[in-house]
């Protein structure tokens, strides 16, 4: 079997890729996609620890499922927001959405 | 039948909650329906509450602890490792609160209809919303009273916090010409944030208890074994040293009570809460919010008493007594009728807290109940007065248009006077409420206050857990406060009602509508008679709250002294303000006598100003400083500075050229003119430059600081991530754990 | 064999991820997201969480990816700009991501051995999907989070409709 | 080695094949790998090979229904017509539009075919004869078919053609919408069988085909799967009179053929699934004694359902997009939700019968489920009638007040 650490490393890599995307992308939708990557990285961790920890208890899978749900809700609301912002400001570039600028 | 009603206790907070939901979701556009929904909600709660109270009165021995503390679980939901248990319980304290809270709330609700101008031209645009909010507020308080664990208590506690924010800031669009004066919006925010400070401390206490006991239900927490364990176990803190867990937990819980019950360091929100509509003030100050703090301390009193002679009781006693005196001195110098009452509330809460501190549990709860009635009465009465004066003002303003809408403060007692004949019902009831507050025999306030003083005196005479100093301290401060209370109450009554009207508005005031005066009269009845249940000779109250607590013996010295002080204070008040009432434009005689001291009192000992200087300014300053990070805003100013230096240098060279070289050349030819031109140059090149330089500096500073808020989420996030990374890195490097 | 499959799926997940955050063209980025998420689904299969793998494909590729592509196309003018897909602070972002990754690696390597072979884990019960379903609906276990999640989803749906709906009045 | 058992033909062939490989000297790991590969190739070959015949069959059938002959030139009765067609498509130039997103443009057709063929991995031909008996087979089917949606969206977008994009939007709206009732009706067999494994579902139908126990679910599944495939009356995705040729307008040659292929395979794949889920799959007389018969039963059922599909395709007019979505969201989705709840309650009520239950025990089970379905159908029809007449009345009321034209 593949050692647990490999999965965790893959997950860490995926997480950091997503992190980079969240910090560096200009487009809001792209940021949302990067967030999805991060959530998936978390899920990989959850499932991996479930598998190597205690497969009889379903905690890992349950949490992964809840992350799915949250991700779906987040995507729906996020995209709706972007479309609303796009309608009013004609852009989804995050740098240009700076109503809070001092 | 008893069980049947007891099992329905959980419905008490649900009725107002349903009313809230109904108004918000369906009845919002319909004022009449909203009013009736709110009344129905609180009315049902009142009926059920009194049913339970009188059932337990008749059946008292079934309710005395510990049997009474059987919580009734409603739901148990799985939450992580444990179960989230939601339930309710009825014991004597709860039953007492159920006697007071829904009834006073009902009176306030009925009063609100008239106050918010139902059916008149001046009806509030958010009339329905107001009823929704106060329903939710009542739900919060009732839920807090019936809850069986600290967790549910905290939830309802926070609901009340939210409602206080919403209601204090109810007239959120209101602005005042004076920018220094606090607006309702800011007052709401202030109340919310100040109580939040206490709430955080309280949450810490709850977490501490949970970590130690593993449960938050009162039965588990206050069982003999748990209390013993908590008192035995000690904890060491960095600054405070070693203390029993029970002491620490009690102190932390007391932090929450300090916030909600407006005790000394956290009292600042309460006077400003007067910006809300008057029924809200009554609700907050009498029936619900501030009582919640005292209720919390009373509810967790076993915890406070777990360690004999511990610091926690001393702290409680000190804070309470100090607050009582402190606030009553301020109240003497307030001209705003509601603010005066607000400080009186703080002072009276101090009484209760101090009473709990010296162990006068029964007296404290008794005072909580009586105070709720007469303070609600006073607030509603003041609201009625303000309402009348405002209407008088409107009438005057409409009468002749040239009067204009200049700033007119209907709350200012200096604008009143002579309302006795205009508003007789309000005046009578206000007088009864004032008498109860001042402690005049045989009104309610006398008995409860006297019991507190007697208990403290008894502790001083016969020894106490805390030794003899603290009881004496409490007794002394509270007695002084009693004198001041009588004085400022008399002052308020005289300024408001006696003499002749000092303004045209007061002259045109009318009695308020019956929906406002009826609650006043009912409350006045209770304010007058309620004390008779707690007389030292036939202490029904003591009987009700439980024989477990030691009764306070009647002490003729204390009773006589406090009666003398009350009558004396009132008499002095009458002598100063009542015998020869102030005319329009007169200066307050006390102000003349006290001079600068009065100014300090009028400004509430400058506590607000102190907080602004110590807490608010540095926080804002820190927030500004922390964002120098972004490279653009660091590098840009550097580049600019270099550029500006270059320009300055060039200008300096030019100056050198102009002044030195030219000056040397021209020196010979124009010796006579040189002196005058030199002085001119000095003026232009030095003085002007310095002035300009200061200006530039300020502008550059402004430009430097302004864009620290980029408004970009990613930017903030980057800083956060970088900071996290650095912190983690530091942790790994420094901690040899990993 | 298992290693080959693992490496294949890992490469899919990570390369897809890199493409997601670097592709300027957003539709391509979304396609790369599908690839990456499919790789993650493959990892689930390797971890014997078949149900999750299927749900991953269903939810992410069948729903979220398509939703994202829809959103991209509805805000299309943005997609075809000539400017870079990254903002000015991307250098710092890269640094912090790399630092975080290094930290993670450090911790992981310290905590669990990287060595191949001699790895054992308890066997997955045969009816793990059924166990998952029972755990979700078990009063003693996760029924509350499950219900809350469904309420969240419902409210998110309603909220999304309300936010994104064009206002026809006035 | 056991004797070659003709009654369990396919398993026997598999055994012989495996032993032969082992005798060749391959290690067990490689044998399993080769076996899996061979299985995959076989299943794919079956799917693709069947298309060759179904195309001809369908065209001839359509010809019959439309009162013409259909293809009849190549081979006996025109049976080989597909061969020159395929050759023609293969030899055509593959055109890629200049502004297309080339990578996505070339990925899309492959994805379209792959998504359909992947479904065959879990379809049981006979008892145990299937690609892989996943314990989440039904979910796998739903998951994999979502790739098809993605493929269409990508094809429409990457072509950089506005008609293609509009078509892709339409298709995706349609596919996503109809996926909801599809999945909800799919859940009923899963519920009744107590497993998501396809083979398990077929085995559970020993107690009665689900078409008898849950006819409403079958109808919903049938309707929404027709929509998923995009055939008449749901063939909006290539309504050529409205949006030229749909999302694949820019495609030519083999790439176009792949979309075509994918669609065609999808058509009878769905029929195979319907047969598996509701018509007892490989179940039939004597199948317990001679498992190999299952393949025949399965194919017969599949093609019978396919025949109904073609029949509908040739006789029903096309729907308008708003009607189509209305029909889904306002009728199919609520109905399938109610159906799911009612069926789960009914199944809970009766309990699952034992595997060896006698007919006397089974009859109440059937009776309750069928009765529930009939009641539900009656209620649905009644509600439809009431709502329909109300709508009609409103429409008439709206039409009525035309002002009378007064003469000059």
């Amino acid at each position: 079997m593949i050692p647990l650490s490999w999965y965790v490393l893959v997950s860490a890599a995926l997480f950091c890729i997503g992190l980079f995307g969240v910090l560096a992308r200009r487009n809001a939708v792209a940021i949302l996609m990067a967030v999805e990557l991060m959530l998936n990285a978390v899920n990989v961790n959850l499932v991996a620890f479930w598998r190597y920890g205690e497969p009889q208890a379903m905690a890992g899978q349950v949490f992964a499922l809840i992350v799915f749900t949250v991700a779906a809700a987040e995507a729906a609301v996020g995209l709706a927001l972007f479309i609303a912002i796009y309608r009013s400001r004609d852009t989804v570039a995050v740098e240009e959405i700076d109503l809070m600028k001092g | 039948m008893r069980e049947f009603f007891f099992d329905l206790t959980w419905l008490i907070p649900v009725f107002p909650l349903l009313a809230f939901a109904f108004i918000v979701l369906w009845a919002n556009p319909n004022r009449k329906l909203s009013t009736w929904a709110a009344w129905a909600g609180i009315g049902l709660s009142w009926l059920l509450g009194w049913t339970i109270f009188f059932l337990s009165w008749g059946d008292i021995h079934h309710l005395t602890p510990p049997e009474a503390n059987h919580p009734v679980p409603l739901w148990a939901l799985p939450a992580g490792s444990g179960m989230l248990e939601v339930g309710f319980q009825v014991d004597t304290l709860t039953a007492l609160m159920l006697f007071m809270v829904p009834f006073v709330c009902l009176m306030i609700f009925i009063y609100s209809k008239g106050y918010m101008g139902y059916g008149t031209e001046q009806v509030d645009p958010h009339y329905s919303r107001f009823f929704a909010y106060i329903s939710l507020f009542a739900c919060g308080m009732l839920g807090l009273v019936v809850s069986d664990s600290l967790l549910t208590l905290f939830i309802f506690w926070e609901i009340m916090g939210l409602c206080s924010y919403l209601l204090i800031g109810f007239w959120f669009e209101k602005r005042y010409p004076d920018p220094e004066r606090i607006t309702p919006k800011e007052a709401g925010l202030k109340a919310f944030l100040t109580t939040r400070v206490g709430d955080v401390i309280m949450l810490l206490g709850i977490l501490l208890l949970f970590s130690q006991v593993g449960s938050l239900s009162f039965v588990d927490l206050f069982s003999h074994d748990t209390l013993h364990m908590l008192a035995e176990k000690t904890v060491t803190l960095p600054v405070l040293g070693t203390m029993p867990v029970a002491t620490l937990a009690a102190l932390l819980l007391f932090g929450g009570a300090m916030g909600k019950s407006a005790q000394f360091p956290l009292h600042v929100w309460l006077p400003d809460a007067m910006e809300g509509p008057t029924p809200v003030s009554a609700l907050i100050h009498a029936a619900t919010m501030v009582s919640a703090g005292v209720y919390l301390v009373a509810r967790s009193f076993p915890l406070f008493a777990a360690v004999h002679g511990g610091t926690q009781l001393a702290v409680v006693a000190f804070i309470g007594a100090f607050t009582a005196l402190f606030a009553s001195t301020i109240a003497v110098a307030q001209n705003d009728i509601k603010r005066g009452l607000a400080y009186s509330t703080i002072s009276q809460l101090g009484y209760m807290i101090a009473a709990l501190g010296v162990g006068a549990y029964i007296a404290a709860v008794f005072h909580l109940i009586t105070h709720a009635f007469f303070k609600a009465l006073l607030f509603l009465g003041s609201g009625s007065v303000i309402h009348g004066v405002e209407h008088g003002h409107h009438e005057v303003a409409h009468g002749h248009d040239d009067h204009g809408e200049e700033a007119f403060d209907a709350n200012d007692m200096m604008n009143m006077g002579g309302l006795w004949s205009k508003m007789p019902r309000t005046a009578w009831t206000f007088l009864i409420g004032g008498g109860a507050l001042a402690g005049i025999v045989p009104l309610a306030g006398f008995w409860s206050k006297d019991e507190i003083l007697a208990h403290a005196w008894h502790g001083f005479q016969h020894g106490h857990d805390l030794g003899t100093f603290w009881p004496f301290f409490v007794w002394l401060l509270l007695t002084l406060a009693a004198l001041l209370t009588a004085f400022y109450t008399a002052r308020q009554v005289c300024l408001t009602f006696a003499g002749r009207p000092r303004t045209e508005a007061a002259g045109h005031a009318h009695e308020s509508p019956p929906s406002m005066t009826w609650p006043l009269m009912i409350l006045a009845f209770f304010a007058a008679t309620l004390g008779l249940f707690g007389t030292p000779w036939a202490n029904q109250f003591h009987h009700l709250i439980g024989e477990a607590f030691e009764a306070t013996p009647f002490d003729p010295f204390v009773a006589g002294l406090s009666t003398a002080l009350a009558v004396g204070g009132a008499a002095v008040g009458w002598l100063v303000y009542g015998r020869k009432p102030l005319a329009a434009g007169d200066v307050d005689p006390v102000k003349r006598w006290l001079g600068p001291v009065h100014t300090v009192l009028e400004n509430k000992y400058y506590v607000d100003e102190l907080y602004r200087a110590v807490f608010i300014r540095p926080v804002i300053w820190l927030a500004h400083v922390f964002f120098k990070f972004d490279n653009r805003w660091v590098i840009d100013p550097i580049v600019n500075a270099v550029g500006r230096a270059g320009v300055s240098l060039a200008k300096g060279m030019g100056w050198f050229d102009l002044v030195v070289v030219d000056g040397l050349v021209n020196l010979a030819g124009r010796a006579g003119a040189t002196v005058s031109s030199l002085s001119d140059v000095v003026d232009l090149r030095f003085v002007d430059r310095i002035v300009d330089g200061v200006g530039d500096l300020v502008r550059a500073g402004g430009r430097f600081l302004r864009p620290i808020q980029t408004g970009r989420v990613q930017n903030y996030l980057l800083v956060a991530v970088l900071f996290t990374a650095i912190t983690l890195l530091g942790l790994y490097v420094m901690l040899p754990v990993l | 064999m298992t290693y080959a499959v693992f490496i294949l799926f890992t490469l899919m997940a990570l390369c897809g991820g890199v493409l997601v955050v670097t592709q300027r063209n957003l539709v391509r980025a979304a396609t790369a997201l599908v690839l990456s998420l499919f790789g993650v689904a493959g990892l689930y299969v390797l971890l014997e969480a078949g149900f999750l793998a299927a749900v991953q494909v269903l939810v992410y590729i069948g729903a979220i990816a398509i939703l994202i592509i829809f959103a991209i196309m509805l805000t299309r003018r943005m997609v075809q700009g000539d400017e870079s897909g990254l903002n000015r602070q991307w250098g710092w972002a890269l640094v912090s991501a790399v630092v975080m990754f290094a930290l993670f690696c450090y911790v992981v390597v310290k905590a669990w051995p990287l060595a191949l072979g001699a790895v054992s884990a308890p066997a997955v019960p045969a009816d793990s999907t059924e166990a998952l379903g029972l755990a979700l609906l078990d009063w003693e276990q996760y029924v509350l989070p499950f219900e809350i999640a469904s309420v969240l989803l419902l409210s998110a749906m309603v909220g999304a409709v309300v936010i994104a709906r064009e206002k026809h009045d006035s | 080695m056991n004797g070659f058992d003709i009654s369990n033909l396919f398993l026997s062939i598999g055994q012989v094949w495996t032993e032969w490989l082992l005798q060749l000297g391959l290690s067990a790991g490689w044998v399993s790998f080769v076996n899996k590969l061979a299985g995959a190739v076989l299943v794919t070959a079956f799917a693709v090979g069947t298309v060759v015949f179904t195309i001809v069959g369908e065209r001839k059938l359509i010809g019959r229904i439309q009162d013409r002959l259909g293809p009849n030139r190549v081979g006996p009765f025109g049976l080989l017509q597909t061969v020159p067609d395929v050759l023609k498509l293969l030899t055509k130039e593959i055109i890629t539009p200049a502004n297309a997103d080339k990578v996505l443009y070339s990925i899309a057709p492959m994805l379209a075919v792959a998504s359909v063929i992947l479904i065959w991995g879990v379809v049981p031909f006979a008892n145990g004869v299937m690609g892989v008996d996943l314990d989440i087979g039904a979910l796998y089917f739903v998951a994999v078919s979502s790739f098809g949606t993605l493929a269409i969206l990508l094809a429409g977008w990457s072509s950089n053609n506005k008609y293609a994009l509009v078509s892709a939007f339409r298709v995706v709206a349609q596919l996503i919408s109809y996926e909801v009732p599809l999945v909800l009706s799919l859940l009923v067999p899963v519920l009744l069988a107590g497993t998501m494994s396809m083979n398990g579902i077929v085995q559970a139908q020993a107690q009665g085909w689900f078409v008898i126990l849950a006819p409403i679910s079958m109808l919903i599944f049938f309707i929404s799967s027709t929509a998923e495939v995009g055939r008449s009356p749901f063939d909006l995705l290539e309504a050529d009179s409205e949006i030229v040729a749909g999302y694949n307008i820019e495609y030519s040659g083999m790439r176009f053929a792949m979309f075509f292929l994918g669609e065609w395979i999808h058509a009878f794949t769905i029929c195979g699934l319907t047969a598996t889920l509701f018509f007892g799959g490989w179940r039939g007389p004597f199948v317990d004694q001679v498992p190999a018969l299952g393949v025949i039963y399965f194919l017969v059922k599949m093609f019978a359902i396919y025949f109904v599909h073609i029949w509908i395709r040739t006789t029903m007019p096309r729907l308008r997009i708003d009607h189509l979505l209305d029909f889904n969201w306002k009728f199919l989705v609520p109905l399938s939700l109610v159906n799911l709840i009612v069926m789960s309650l009914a199944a809970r009520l009766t309990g699952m019968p034992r595997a060896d239950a006698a007919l006397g025990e089974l009859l109440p089970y059937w009776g309750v489920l069928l009765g529930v379905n009939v009641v539900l159908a009656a209620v649905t029809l009644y509600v439809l009638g009431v709502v329909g007449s109300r709508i009609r009345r409103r429409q008439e009321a709206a039409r009525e007040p035309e002002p009378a034209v007064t003469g000059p």
Side-chain angles (χ1 to χ4, degrees), chain D residues 119-376:
Chain D
I119 299 176
W120 280 97
V122 294
V123 176
F125 292 91
N127 194 358
V129 179
M130 57 194 302
V132 50
D133 190 5
L134 283 182
D135 61 344
I136 46 155
L139 190 67
Y140 169 86
F141 153 63
V142 178
V144 159
S145 34
S146 59
F147 276 112
T149 319
L150 189 68
I152 290 173
L153 197 52
L154 288 183
W157 188 80
S158 64
S159 306
N160 205 5
N161 175 319
K162 69 178 88 161
Y163 291 111
L165 191 62
V166 168
S167 165
F169 274 153
R170 270 192 189 189
V171 177
V172 173
Q174 176 183 333
L175 294 192
I176 288 182
S177 306
Y178 277 89
E179 211 168 285
V180 179
L182 184 85
V183 174
L184 287 176
S185 58
L186 177 72
L187 283 179
V188 173
V190 169
L191 195 91
L192 293 175
T195 173
M196 282 197 280
S197 149
M198 288 297 200
N199 206 27
I201 291 174
V202 176
Q203 272 164 349
Q205 294 182 61
Q207 280 93 24
W209 292 0
F210 291 150
V211 67
I212 303 168
L213 303 181
I216 293 185
S217 316
M218 197 284 289
L219 278 176
I220 297 171
F221 186 83
F222 188 77
I223 293 172
S224 45
S225 61
T226 314
E228 281 285 301
V229 177
R231 295 212 139 190
S232 255
F234 303 106
D235 62 342
L236 289 163
L237 24 164
E238 43 189 78
D240 44 6
S241 48
E242 297 169 23
I243 43 176
V244 201
Y247 61 89
N248 52 11
I249 178 171
E250 293 288 355
Y251 283 86
S252 67
M254 201 51 217
R255 281 182 183 158
F256 174 73
M258 285 177 89
F259 278 117
F260 202 68
L261 183 71
E263 191 205 314
W264 225 280
I265 300 176
H266 204 173
F268 70 85
T269 303
I270 283 292
C271 298
L273 281 169
T274 316
T276 307
L277 290 171
F278 291 98
F279 290 88
W282 41 259
R283 288 218 156 268
F286 307 115
V287 82
D288 291 329
Q289 287 80 35
V290 189
L293 270 180
V295 178
I296 297 167
Y297 289 137
F298 173 71
L299 290 181
V300 167
K301 286 172 188 171
M302 181 174 103
F303 283 114
I305 297 167
Y306 191 44
F307 170 74
V308 180
H309 259 280
I310 297 168
W311 190 7
I312 290 173
R313 173 184 172 173
T314 46
T315 43
M316 299 281 281
R318 181 186 297 147
L319 288 174
R320 224 168 65 191
I321 180 83
D322 54 334
H323 290 167
L324 184 129
L325 292 179
D326 272 4
F327 176 68
N328 178 62
W329 288 112
K330 295 181 183 166
F331 177 69
L332 276 187
V333 172
L335 178 62
S336 48
L337 275 172
V338 173
N339 181 42
L340 181 62
I341 294 168
V342 168
M343 286 304 287
S344 55
L345 287 178
R348 196 72 211 249
L349 202 72
T350 58
M352 227 199 327
R354 281 176 294 115
D356 55 346
L359 192 65
E361 287 176 64
L362 284 178
L363 274 178
Y365 177 61
W366 292 356
V368 169
L369 287 185
L370 192 59
V372 160
N373 268 282
V374 169
V375 170
L376 184 59

